[in-house]
Amino acid sequence: MPDTAVPPAGASILAIEARGLAKHFGDVRAVDGIDLDVPRGMIFGILGPNGAGKTTLLRMLATLLPPDAGSAKVLGFDLKESPHEVRGSIAMTGQFASLDEDLTGRENLILLARLWGFRGQNAKKRADDLLTAFDLADAASKQVKDYSGGMRRRLDIAASLVVTPGVLFLDEPTTGLDPMARKSVWRMIRSLSEAGVTILLTTQYLEEADQLAARIAVIDHGRKIAEGTSRELKAATGSGFLHLTLVDAARVEDAELMLEEITGNKPQRSSEGAALSLMVDTPQNANRALAALIAANIELADFSMGAPSLDEVFFALTGQITEPKNAEGDV
Amino acid sequence: MDDTNSTISLIHAARPPQPSALSNALVFGWRAVLKFKHIPEQLFDLVMTPIMFTLLFTFVFGGALSGSTGAYLQYFLPGILVQTVVFNSMYSGMGLSTDLGKGLFDRFRSLPIWSLSPFAGLMVGDILRHLIASLLILIIGIILGYRPEAGLIGILEALLLLIVIGFGFGWIFLVLGLVMSTPSTVMTMAFTGIMPLVFASNIMVDPATMPSLLRAFVEVNPVSLMTTAMRGVMAGNITAVQLGAALIAPILLTLILAPLTLWLYRRRK
Ligand SMILES: Nc1ncnc2c1ncn2[C@@H]1O[C@H](COP(=O)(O)OP(=O)(O)O)[C@@H](O)[C@H]1O
Ligand SMILES: [Mg+2]
């Protein structure tokens, strides 16, 4: 990519290289020693529940927050030694829209284009090209405060592309969007990636990480608890999950106790109450679990064996049930 | 953005050369001007209270305080200009607090620009606000019968002094804007702090008529010192001592709070 800031000679093929990054707020270890290697050109996903430290991690990488410990290079530039060069090669779309509500969409983009060094008509042209590409030409002269959530998000991402960044940080790009708007942001992210932009995105949605990211780092309580492709993460959590539905919901607790005793793993109860998912290390364990339930007269309405979903991966890794998929944060 | 070809041409557009710090600062000044264009009602907020004060004091209390409404207006108008500028200097602090709350400053701070250029924009906004409000009040004063003895030169000097005063007081609210979480807290603090300074001053009433304890405060109150200087400038008889006394507060505030503002801004979060 000749049109982005030139990395120092001998820079590695990694877009981001972080070692032991940490940030504490008082007693809260928001980020507690994270290593990260993000190859150039990849969409890399950071997956974690609310409060895991995703935003703090991104803000450090974007030079907005000085790390308490550790170091990182972005496109070969060290965060501490060359923050100005890092800023020249990145763009960040924060979790909360970073736009001027009083100005129009077009004025917001012209403002940024001028700050990047576009002059006069060039700044206007750049703004108009971005508005067209992000399907906002019709709303160009409206004040941003009159934009919908999806429009704001698109403008916010467009604002990160005024100059093509070497690395684009997207902090929860679809949180709070309706499914249509979410799909459209996904398409946008994919086409940016196809055009060669390295993207580091955070998400609370397992489906989103699965859909977009070539590699995923799962973080929780400021630590990286797993990393790999979506497939590797699934494989890392044992041979699979046994899904059971009981005829009699009243016996769910009996079944839970029994299953935990046999397999050593705690079953995950679904919200309806009568369905259980159990991580099983070997098929023999699944057999023994089923046999024990039948012996105890706990009748099954249904059962199946499946490869773990990312939800289950997350459960297996953290021992926590993730938030419901449609739980939406603030816009 | 569904069309990958158009994305590619967008992505591979040339990157412009890095702009100068001055150019960055001017862009933020332009943003301040745009705000006036989009929120014209802001002007109303700027001058509504001082105009009400002017009318109220001149016509209701003026006769009792100075013998005639004309004489009172002549005494009062320079002071109300000081009061207006001191109050209006809170707007950039409120603006800063709003921007910080929205994450807009995160975007600015992640750009490779001169890190203080956003403040240049706040200052441009301040200067415009002070000029617009002062001119409107002067025009109304002149319509009501106010006459600056020093003429146009007096008015120009007065505007300059007002900008210096507003610049000095502005730092208080920039600091508040950086440490307070919401713009409305900044506003409440502003009113609580400024009210006593403005009312226990020589803006409305000659301190000679006040009890001695209050008078002792009024005579050293920076707002009084600035008001005295404003009267002198507009009347064309200001002394160097009066001017110096008026500038103490703005200069001290700038010397102490400007570095504090920058320090707070740089270490934020
Ligand atoms: N500025 C701050 N001051 C104090 N605590 C903070 C601050 N920012 C984040 N935290 C805390 O750090 C932890 C991680 O937060 P964050 O990085 O925002 O997580 P995420 O983006 O994954 O939801 C949370 O416990 C949060 O409360
Ligand atoms: Mg977050």
Side-chain angles (χ1 to χ4, degrees):
Chain A
M1 274 187 291
D3 45 359
T4 55
V6 184
S12 68
I13 51 154
L14 290 177
I16 299 171
E17 199 176 350
R19 289 293 170 268
L21 272 189
K23 184 79 197 176
H24 301 178
F25 298 107
D27 287 344
V28 182
R29 291 161 174 264
V31 172
D32 196 14
I34 285 189
D35 295 346
L36 215 56
D37 287 321
V38 178
R40 288 193 191 192
M42 178 182 274
I43 304 185
F44 192 100
I46 308 265
L47 173 65
N50 222 335
K54 303 182 294 297
T55 299
T56 307
L57 177 62
L58 248 57
R59 286 174 55 88
M60 285 194 283
L61 292 172
T63 75
L64 294 172
L65 201 63
D68 289 337
S71 64
K73 283 185 179 168
V74 178
L75 290 175
F77 296 113
D78 187 86
L79 280 190
K80 254 180 254 157
E81 280 154 30
S82 330
H84 198 76
E85 286 73 14
V86 172
R87 285 180 206 127
S89 31
I90 59 154
M92 163 131 169
T93 302
Q95 188 168 358
F96 306 103
S98 42
L99 300 163
D100 191 325
E101 302 265 310
D102 295 324
L103 306 192
T104 66
R106 189 163 182 262
E107 286 165 346
N108 265 286
L109 294 179
I110 294 176
L111 180 84
L112 290 168
R114 289 195 177 157
L115 288 175
W116 275 106
F118 287 96
R119 287 156 184 270
Q121 288 307 312
N122 286 339
K124 290 180 181 151
K125 180 169 183 312
R126 186 66 184 166
D128 289 334
D129 289 350
L130 285 162
L131 288 164
T132 308
F134 283 80
D135 203 13
L136 288 166
D138 293 340
S141 312
K142 269 209 259 180
Q143 281 176 282
V144 171
K145 63 173 155 227
D146 298 326
Y147 277 31
S148 71
M151 289 159 73
R152 260 166 222 255
R153 216 1 107 168
R154 294 209 299 275
L155 184 63
D156 213 4
I157 296 178
S160 294
L161 299 173
V162 165
V163 158
T164 304
V167 182
L168 175 61
F169 297 113
L170 297 171
D171 196 4
E172 301 200 22
T174 67
T175 299
L177 298 188
D178 61 56
M180 278 268 288
R182 172 168 303 165
K183 291 267 157 61
S184 122
V185 170
W186 282 0
R187 273 200 301 276
M188 214 180 279
I189 292 173
R190 284 198 194 100
S191 82
L192 286 175
S193 171
E194 279 157 25
V197 182
T198 306
I199 298 174
L200 181 64
L201 67 85
T202 74
T203 180
Q204 296 187 43
Y205 304 114
L206 304 149
E207 188 196 356
E208 185 160 284
D210 205 6
Q211 285 277 332
L212 294 176
R215 267 184 99 70
I216 302 169
V218 185
I219 71 169
D220 195 31
H221 294 110
R223 292 176 163 276
K224 187 165 80 176
I225 53 177
E227 187 190 319
T229 62
S230 166
R231 183 184 300 186
E232 282 166 356
L233 287 181
K234 288 174 183 170
T237 26
S239 67
F241 273 70
L242 178 61
H243 305 281
L244 305 164
T245 311
L246 308 192
V247 172
D248 182 3
R251 305 226 41 204
V252 144
E253 265 151 46
D254 295 344
E256 269 179 344
L257 283 176
M258 199 172 290
L259 292 172
E260 188 170 357
E261 208 177 283
I262 292 166
T263 61
N265 293 326
K266 205 168 155 46
Q268 193 182 348
R269 202 192 296 187
S270 78
S271 44
E272 304 92 82
L276 293 170
S277 295
L278 177 73
M279 197 179 97
V280 284
D281 305 326
T282 61
Q284 287 81 345
N285 268 349
N287 262 332
R288 282 170 42 216
L290 286 173
L293 290 178
I294 291 161
N297 251 335
I298 298 176
E299 263 187 275
L300 297 178
D302 187 25
F303 79 91
S304 64
M305 210 29 215
S309 71
L310 264 178
D311 270 304
E312 288 156 345
V313 170
F314 198 86
F315 175 73
L317 293 169
T318 67
Q320 274 176 15
I321 298 176
T322 53
E323 329 241 307
K325 276 208 179 136
N326 55 2
E328 292 186 344
D330 301 336
V331 185
Chain B
M1 193 106 234
D2 297 341
D3 174 359
T4 303
N5 286 331
S6 83
T7 313
I8 289 175
S9 70
L10 197 68
I11 291 299
H12 290 276
R15 182 180 265 249
Q18 256 208 19
S20 65
L22 176 67
S23 150
N24 287 159
L26 289 176
V27 175
F28 281 98
W30 175 68
R31 171 173 178 243
V33 175
L34 283 177
K35 291 265 186 182
F36 280 98
K37 188 183 106 191
H38 284 295
I39 333 173
E41 59 277 19
Q42 198 187 94
L43 293 179
F44 193 73
D45 295 340
L46 291 181
V47 294
M48 197 53 213
T49 321
I51 287 173
M52 289 230 329
F53 266 61
T54 309
L55 295 175
L56 190 73
F57 274 79
T58 306
F59 292 107
V60 180
F61 308 124
L65 291 168
S66 290
S68 77
T69 53
Y72 187 69
L73 187 63
Q74 206 66 22
Y75 178 78
F76 179 66
L77 198 96
I80 196 76
L81 289 172
V82 172
Q83 178 187 324
T84 305
V85 163
V86 170
F87 268 113
N88 287 349
S89 63
M90 75 180 169
Y91 280 96
S92 53
M94 284 174 65
L96 180 61
S97 169
T98 309
D99 287 349
L100 291 171
K102 293 261 165 50
L104 185 60
F105 263 60
D106 273 0
R107 158 117 27 224
F108 295 150
R109 286 173 57 207
S110 69
L111 294 175
I113 56 174
W114 176 43
S115 66
L116 301 182
S117 46
F119 286 94
L122 294 173
M123 306 218 156
V124 170
D126 266 356
I127 291 173
L128 284 175
R129 254 187 299 275
H130 296 324
L131 281 177
I132 292 170
S134 305
L135 281 172
L136 280 174
I137 290 162
L138 261 171
I139 289 167
I140 288 175
I142 287 169
I143 292 171
L144 294 177
Y146 173 76
R147 292 294 172 264
E149 289 92 339
L152 195 60
I153 299 289
I155 290 180
L156 291 179
E157 285 170 0
L159 291 176
L160 197 64
L161 182 57
L162 287 168
I163 288 173
V164 172
I165 293 171
F167 182 83
F169 274 76
W171 295 109
I172 302 179
F173 302 104
L174 290 178
V175 168
L176 287 177
L178 282 165
V179 291
M180 297 291 154
S181 48
T182 60
S184 58
T185 331
V186 176
M187 190 152 161
T188 313
M189 301 267 301
F191 276 109
T192 325
I194 292 176
M195 278 293 180
L197 277 183
V198 164
F199 282 96
S201 78
N202 64 357
I203 290 182
M204 291 130 195
V205 183
D206 186 344
T209 64
M210 296 177 185
S212 62
L213 199 66
L214 180 61
R215 197 165 85 201
F217 173 74
V218 167
E219 277 170 357
V220 297
N221 178 350
V223 172
S224 302
L225 300 175
M226 296 185 298
T227 302
T228 304
M230 276 299 288
R231 289 189 181 123
V233 162
M234 305 263 265
N237 59 7
I238 186 165
T239 67
V241 173
Q242 284 173 340
L243 184 64
L247 293 178
I248 293 175
I251 289 175
L252 275 185
L253 286 171
T254 306
L255 285 181
I256 299 168
L257 298 183
L260 179 65
T261 306
L262 302 184
W263 181 76
L264 283 171
Y265 177 64
R266 289 217 162 106
R267 70 173 284 277
R268 213 177 159 271
K269 279 190 192 159

